[in-house]
Amino acid sequence: MNILDSMQNYKDTVHTPFHTPGHKMGLCVHPKLKKLLTEDGWKKEVNVTDALDDLNSPSWAIKDAEEKAAKLYGADAALFMVNGTTSAIQTMILGSLKDGDTILAPRNAHRSVFGAAVLSGVDIVYMTPEINDEFQIIEELLPETIEKSIKEHPYAKAVLITSPTYYGRFSDIETIAKIAHNAGMLLLVDEAHGPHLPFLPNSPKSAISRGADMVASSTHKMLGAITQGSMLFVNKERVDFRKIAQTAALLTTTSPNQIIVASLEAAMEQMESCGEEYFKNLLPLIENLRKELKEAGFELLEGELDPMKLTLRISDFGISGKEADKILLTKYGVAAELSNLHNLLFLISYADNEDTLKTLKNALIDLIKDRKKHGKTMNFPTLPKIPPSKILPRKAFFGDIREIPFKESAGFVAAEEITSYPPGIPLIHPGEVITEELIKYAKEVRSFGIKLIGFADQTLERVRVLK
Ligand SMILES: Cc1ncc(COP(=O)(O)O)c(C=O)c1O
């Protein structure tokens, strides 16, 4: 099947997506943006910077839209990005730190953080977030974990956190910002999963209005922008905005796709004019959906949580998240955002409505109707300690590599990542020393059905190390 056919096939199979992008397969798109993927739009698919302004050096239309977005989120400035939050995160790090500086980041930080370290020569010291044993997922970083790491590494220049997490947990931004700033460090926030926060009633607002210095936000994930459309928000007090804008331009194509750029403006306009109304209508429907699913026997992830993320443990019913995902897709045309051994995660966006939520509820209830509930799943084997880091990410990336048997690799410096999934936490990053404890853990968790990913040899018989 070629690329075009695979897209057609997916469209024919999935009728009710609970995944990104936030516009939900065109269910709720700004009318002017909708027109851009028609014959009329093809006439506008041009790249002429004089007539359309230049993303890499905006001076009027794009500048105006960025200023508007900054105001909506409570930032001093905003930059529109056409290569997703990946490049927003790389811009934050490359634009504010220098070769040899250190950044503190969660162990499960998005891979763009490692990418930024390779590009910049920055070192990363990892912090371990809490693990939720009940759902076997990674939670947010706690202020005390960050405080401890800052005490141990007072020379670090910045703290990066992910908030909200993929599963919708928020960090205490105000407290963390105070801790970081008192230590003379910047607070950078990966808010890939939170572009809707300013418009969501009764929710923590964007980290940029709560003390963070820079925030990377995937507008395309939860709002009405086209895939790849993200934003970077900047507060100028501790950050040289000129340098950040210069870095963004350095990492961006000189032919930015104007449809993606325009979709960021459209997404903002949509939220400005009816965001509040969308969410006001949706929240009671989501509350009702959660209530009905609980009554049907599902265990849902609870507590202070982004209401737009619905995580449920399906393995209680003797079916893995992966299997359930496949059935939901093929039998009901319902697609989850994420599935793993135990859970299904559904992403609800402003574009959802009573019908889509009803389709989800009916599909889930039908899926378990002849299944017996077994109860809770097993706990994790204890995760091994973060291995010692020997070589900077940049040096590890460019180092000479060889392959050796994994069981004989203790003491060697890893040249590839090994991540246990669930919960999605890297056991080793390139540049870190492989330990006996890690080798033992990797063997043990595979017998629990936990997948290890991220390395070349899928059997993990052999591993890539530095020479
Ligand atoms: C936590 C987190 N940060 C950053 C990214 C990168 O975002 P983008 O896909 O917009 O580049 C993702 C993508 O899934 C993510 O989950």
Side-chain angles (χ1 to χ4, degrees):
M1 205 186 293
N2 67 18
I3 299 172
L4 290 162
D5 291 342
S6 68
M7 292 165 80
Q8 179 69 38
N9 187 43
Y10 193 75
K11 186 217 118 189
D12 291 344
T13 312
V14 175
H15 308 296
T16 321
F18 284 93
H19 55 54
T20 64
H23 60 69
K24 298 292 182 93
M25 293 170 121
L27 193 60
C28 190
V29 181
H30 191 294
K32 282 187 190 165
L33 182 60
K34 207 165 205 167
K35 258 181 108 180
L36 284 184
L37 291 181
T38 61
E39 202 162 332
D40 176 70
W42 283 104
K43 293 185 177 147
K44 297 174 188 160
E45 208 292 279
V46 289
N47 194 256
V48 279
T49 51
D50 283 351
L52 301 178
D53 203 4
D54 178 4
L55 180 69
N56 290 317
S57 179
S59 58
W60 52 287
I62 296 176
K63 185 165 175 271
D64 291 351
E66 288 179 336
E67 281 173 5
K68 230 171 160 187
K71 210 160 155 208
L72 276 175
Y73 282 78
D76 288 342
L79 293 171
F80 284 5
M81 316 294 294
V82 292
N83 188 27
T85 295
T86 297
S87 65
I89 288 173
Q90 290 173 346
T91 301
M92 293 199 292
I93 296 175
L94 222 71
S96 63
L97 302 183
K98 289 199 293 285
D99 191 1
D101 282 350
T102 296
I103 187 167
L104 312 177
R107 185 67 181 163
N108 61 328
H110 185 257
R111 64 185 194 161
S112 51
V113 175
F114 186 81
V118 169
L119 291 170
S120 62
V122 162
D123 194 14
I124 313 170
V125 168
Y126 290 107
M127 302 173 279
T128 307
E130 303 302 298
I131 306 254
N132 178 330
D133 266 332
E134 296 266 307
F135 281 80
Q136 308 209 346
I137 61 169
I138 304 170
E139 300 278 20
E140 78 281 14
L141 265 175
L142 300 177
E144 44 272 37
T145 310
I146 295 168
E147 204 159 24
K148 183 166 173 280
S149 186
I150 287 180
K151 275 204 182 111
E152 287 166 2
H153 310 280
Y155 51 86
K157 294 287 193 310
V159 176
L160 181 140
I161 62 169
T162 308
S163 177
T165 64
Y166 211 151
Y167 296 93
R169 288 278 196 235
F170 302 106
S171 278
D172 177 352
I173 302 289
E174 283 86 355
T175 304
I176 295 170
K178 264 191 214 135
I179 294 172
H181 292 155
N182 285 343
M185 299 182 196
L186 295 175
L187 175 62
L188 315 180
V189 179
D190 174 353
E191 203 173 76
H193 299 287
H196 56 304
L197 297 182
F199 317 102
L200 194 61
N202 309 321
S203 138
K205 297 303 168 211
S206 170
I208 201 67
S209 62
R210 298 167 59 206
D213 297 290
M214 283 188 274
V215 169
S217 168
S218 288
T219 321
H220 67 96
K221 284 194 199 297
M222 302 294 291
L223 300 181
I226 286 176
T227 301
Q228 285 184 224
S230 284
M231 295 188 195
L232 173 57
F233 300 107
V234 181
N235 280 335
K236 295 180 180 172
E237 190 184 337
R238 296 175 185 81
V239 174
D240 176 357
F241 178 66
R242 248 335 289 154
K243 182 77 190 291
I244 297 298
Q246 200 185 6
T247 311
L250 181 95
L251 295 171
T252 300
T253 168
T254 45
S255 312
N257 185 311
Q258 193 72 3
I259 296 181
I260 301 178
V261 176
S263 78
L264 288 165
E265 181 183 69
M268 289 303 97
E269 274 189 15
Q270 237 180 348
M271 283 302 112
E272 221 184 349
S273 56
C274 14
E276 214 172 289
E277 198 186 321
Y278 287 138
F279 290 113
K280 218 173 79 203
N281 293 338
L282 257 176
L283 289 180
L285 298 174
I286 296 172
E287 210 165 292
N288 201 37
L289 169 71
R290 292 181 69 94
K291 189 169 142 266
E292 289 181 318
L293 290 175
K294 278 199 275 190
E295 278 166 10
F298 288 103
E299 299 291 332
L300 309 185
L301 184 67
E302 311 243 34
E304 202 203 341
L305 202 59
D306 177 0
M308 310 308 280
K309 294 289 178 74
L310 175 74
T311 301
L312 56 86
R313 200 172 58 219
I314 195 78
S315 57
D316 293 2
F317 295 94
I319 179 169
S320 78
K322 287 276 173 219
E323 282 172 87
D325 196 5
K326 208 181 271 172
I327 298 171
L328 285 173
L329 196 76
T330 49
K331 191 164 168 200
Y332 306 95
V334 167
E337 165 71 12
L338 173 147
S339 63
N340 59 29
L341 200 57
H342 302 286
N343 308 310
L344 288 164
L345 165 62
F346 299 95
L347 183 160
I348 303 165
S349 87
Y350 75 96
D352 280 297
N353 54 44
E354 193 165 4
D355 288 343
T356 61
L357 297 188
K358 206 164 156 192
T359 302
L360 174 61
K361 182 196 78 184
N362 290 343
L364 283 169
I365 291 178
D366 200 52
L367 177 77
I368 55 150
K369 81 170 181 293
D370 298 321
R371 294 177 182 271
K372 248 180 73 197
K373 193 168 172 183
H374 298 287
K376 268 202 300 188
T377 47
M378 87 284 174
N379 285 348
F380 272 132
T382 312
L383 282 162
K385 281 198 285 294
I386 295 180
S389 173
K390 186 142 183 203
I391 291 179
L392 291 180
R394 182 182 177 82
K395 281 212 165 145
F397 184 81
F398 290 111
D400 290 329
I401 286 167
R402 69 177 165 127
E403 261 188 29
I404 60 170
F406 181 52
K407 60 178 191 296
E408 293 165 20
S409 64
F412 285 86
V413 178
E416 54 188 357
E417 183 185 307
I418 300 176
T419 293
S420 99
Y421 195 84
I425 203 142
L427 304 175
I428 194 137
H429 275 292
E432 294 173 342
V433 183
I434 300 172
T435 59
E436 286 290 1
E437 188 193 6
L438 187 145
I439 298 171
K440 192 164 155 263
Y441 177 86
K443 201 169 150 211
E444 195 184 328
V445 292
R446 287 187 135 193
S447 62
F448 279 88
I450 289 175
K451 250 173 86 175
L452 296 176
I453 55 171
F455 39 91
D457 174 12
Q458 291 294 300
T459 65
L460 200 54
E461 288 297 313
R462 298 178 74 74
V463 67
R464 288 178 173 209
V465 296
L466 294 177
K467 276 185 186 163

Short mmCIF file of all heavy atoms in Angstrom, two decimals, residues 79-86 88 217-220 225-226 228-232 260 264:
data_model
loop_
_atom_site.label_atom_id
_atom_site.label_comp_id
_atom_site.label_asym_id
_atom_site.label_seq_id
_atom_site.Cartn_x
_atom_site.Cartn_y
_atom_site.Cartn_z
N LEU A 79 6.25 32.45 19.57
CA LEU A 79 6.77 32.13 18.23
C LEU A 79 5.97 30.98 17.67
O LEU A 79 5.76 29.97 18.37
CB LEU A 79 8.25 31.73 18.32
CG LEU A 79 9.24 32.83 18.75
CD1 LEU A 79 10.62 32.23 19.01
CD2 LEU A 79 9.34 33.91 17.66
N PHE A 80 5.54 31.11 16.43
CA PHE A 80 4.84 29.99 15.79
C PHE A 80 5.89 29.02 15.24
O PHE A 80 6.92 29.44 14.70
CB PHE A 80 3.97 30.51 14.63
CG PHE A 80 2.69 31.19 15.07
CD1 PHE A 80 2.41 31.40 16.42
CD2 PHE A 80 1.74 31.62 14.13
CE1 PHE A 80 1.23 32.02 16.83
CE2 PHE A 80 0.56 32.24 14.53
CZ PHE A 80 0.31 32.44 15.88
N MET A 81 5.61 27.73 15.36
CA MET A 81 6.57 26.71 14.94
C MET A 81 5.90 25.78 13.92
O MET A 81 4.74 25.41 14.10
CB MET A 81 7.02 25.84 16.13
CG MET A 81 7.35 26.56 17.43
SD MET A 81 8.79 27.65 17.40
CE MET A 81 10.11 26.53 17.15
N VAL A 82 6.65 25.39 12.90
CA VAL A 82 6.07 24.48 11.89
C VAL A 82 6.66 23.07 11.97
O VAL A 82 6.33 22.23 11.15
CB VAL A 82 6.22 25.03 10.46
CG1 VAL A 82 5.37 26.26 10.25
CG2 VAL A 82 7.69 25.33 10.13
N ASN A 83 7.54 22.84 12.95
CA ASN A 83 8.04 21.48 13.14
C ASN A 83 7.72 20.99 14.54
O ASN A 83 8.53 20.37 15.22
CB ASN A 83 9.55 21.41 12.88
CG ASN A 83 10.05 19.97 12.90
OD1 ASN A 83 9.28 19.05 12.60
ND2 ASN A 83 11.29 19.76 13.27
N GLY A 84 6.50 21.28 14.96
CA GLY A 84 5.99 20.76 16.21
C GLY A 84 6.72 21.26 17.44
O GLY A 84 7.60 22.13 17.38
N THR A 85 6.33 20.67 18.56
CA THR A 85 6.93 21.02 19.84
C THR A 85 8.35 20.49 19.93
O THR A 85 9.15 20.97 20.73
CB THR A 85 6.00 20.51 20.97
OG1 THR A 85 4.78 21.24 20.84
CG2 THR A 85 6.56 20.73 22.34
N THR A 86 8.65 19.51 19.09
CA THR A 86 10.03 19.03 19.01
C THR A 86 10.97 20.21 18.77
O THR A 86 11.95 20.39 19.50
CB THR A 86 10.14 18.00 17.85
OG1 THR A 86 9.30 16.89 18.20
CG2 THR A 86 11.56 17.54 17.63
N ALA A 88 10.25 23.38 19.15
CA ALA A 88 10.08 24.39 20.21
C ALA A 88 10.97 24.03 21.40
O ALA A 88 11.62 24.90 22.00
CB ALA A 88 8.62 24.47 20.64
N SER A 217 4.38 24.32 23.34
CA SER A 217 2.98 23.90 23.36
C SER A 217 2.56 23.34 22.00
O SER A 217 2.73 24.00 20.97
CB SER A 217 2.14 25.13 23.72
OG SER A 217 0.78 24.92 23.50
N SER A 218 2.00 22.11 21.98
CA SER A 218 1.58 21.49 20.70
C SER A 218 0.15 21.88 20.36
O SER A 218 -0.79 21.13 20.65
CB SER A 218 1.66 19.96 20.79
OG SER A 218 2.98 19.50 20.78
N THR A 219 -0.01 23.03 19.74
CA THR A 219 -1.35 23.49 19.37
C THR A 219 -2.09 22.42 18.57
O THR A 219 -3.29 22.22 18.73
CB THR A 219 -1.23 24.79 18.54
OG1 THR A 219 -0.18 25.58 19.07
CG2 THR A 219 -2.52 25.56 18.53
N HIS A 220 -1.34 21.71 17.73
CA HIS A 220 -1.98 20.71 16.87
C HIS A 220 -2.52 19.51 17.63
O HIS A 220 -3.42 18.83 17.16
CB HIS A 220 -1.00 20.23 15.79
CG HIS A 220 0.18 19.45 16.32
ND1 HIS A 220 0.19 18.07 16.34
CD2 HIS A 220 1.36 19.83 16.86
CE1 HIS A 220 1.35 17.64 16.84
NE2 HIS A 220 2.08 18.69 17.16
N ALA A 225 -5.21 23.34 15.09
CA ALA A 225 -4.14 23.58 14.12
C ALA A 225 -3.82 22.30 13.36
O ALA A 225 -4.14 21.19 13.82
CB ALA A 225 -2.88 24.07 14.84
N ILE A 226 -3.17 22.47 12.22
CA ILE A 226 -2.77 21.32 11.43
C ILE A 226 -1.53 20.68 12.08
O ILE A 226 -0.72 21.38 12.67
CB ILE A 226 -2.48 21.78 9.98
CG1 ILE A 226 -3.83 22.06 9.29
CG2 ILE A 226 -1.69 20.74 9.19
CD1 ILE A 226 -3.71 22.61 7.91
N GLN A 228 1.88 19.43 13.21
CA GLN A 228 3.16 20.14 13.19
C GLN A 228 3.06 21.57 13.69
O GLN A 228 4.08 22.20 13.98
CB GLN A 228 3.83 20.16 11.80
CG GLN A 228 4.45 18.84 11.42
CD GLN A 228 5.19 18.87 10.11
OE1 GLN A 228 5.04 17.97 9.33
NE2 GLN A 228 5.98 19.88 9.86
N GLY A 229 1.85 22.12 13.78
CA GLY A 229 1.69 23.51 14.21
C GLY A 229 1.80 23.60 15.74
O GLY A 229 0.94 23.08 16.47
N SER A 230 2.85 24.23 16.24
CA SER A 230 3.06 24.39 17.68
C SER A 230 3.43 25.83 17.99
O SER A 230 3.62 26.64 17.07
CB SER A 230 4.21 23.48 18.14
OG SER A 230 3.78 22.15 18.22
N MET A 231 3.54 26.14 19.26
CA MET A 231 3.94 27.50 19.67
C MET A 231 4.97 27.44 20.78
O MET A 231 4.99 26.49 21.56
CB MET A 231 2.73 28.28 20.17
CG MET A 231 1.69 28.53 19.09
SD MET A 231 0.41 29.65 19.68
CE MET A 231 -0.82 29.37 18.41
N LEU A 232 5.80 28.45 20.80
CA LEU A 232 6.77 28.60 21.89
C LEU A 232 6.47 29.94 22.56
O LEU A 232 6.44 30.98 21.90
CB LEU A 232 8.19 28.59 21.31
CG LEU A 232 9.32 28.90 22.29
CD1 LEU A 232 9.32 27.94 23.47
CD2 LEU A 232 10.67 28.79 21.58
N ILE A 260 0.22 25.59 7.58
CA ILE A 260 0.42 25.28 9.01
C ILE A 260 0.44 26.59 9.81
O ILE A 260 -0.19 26.70 10.87
CB ILE A 260 1.73 24.49 9.24
CG1 ILE A 260 1.73 23.18 8.45
CG2 ILE A 260 1.94 24.22 10.73
CD1 ILE A 260 3.01 22.36 8.57
N LEU A 264 -2.39 27.99 12.83
CA LEU A 264 -2.15 28.41 14.22
C LEU A 264 -2.99 29.65 14.54
O LEU A 264 -3.59 29.76 15.61
CB LEU A 264 -0.65 28.69 14.43
CG LEU A 264 0.22 27.42 14.46
CD1 LEU A 264 1.69 27.76 14.29
CD2 LEU A 264 0.00 26.64 15.75
#
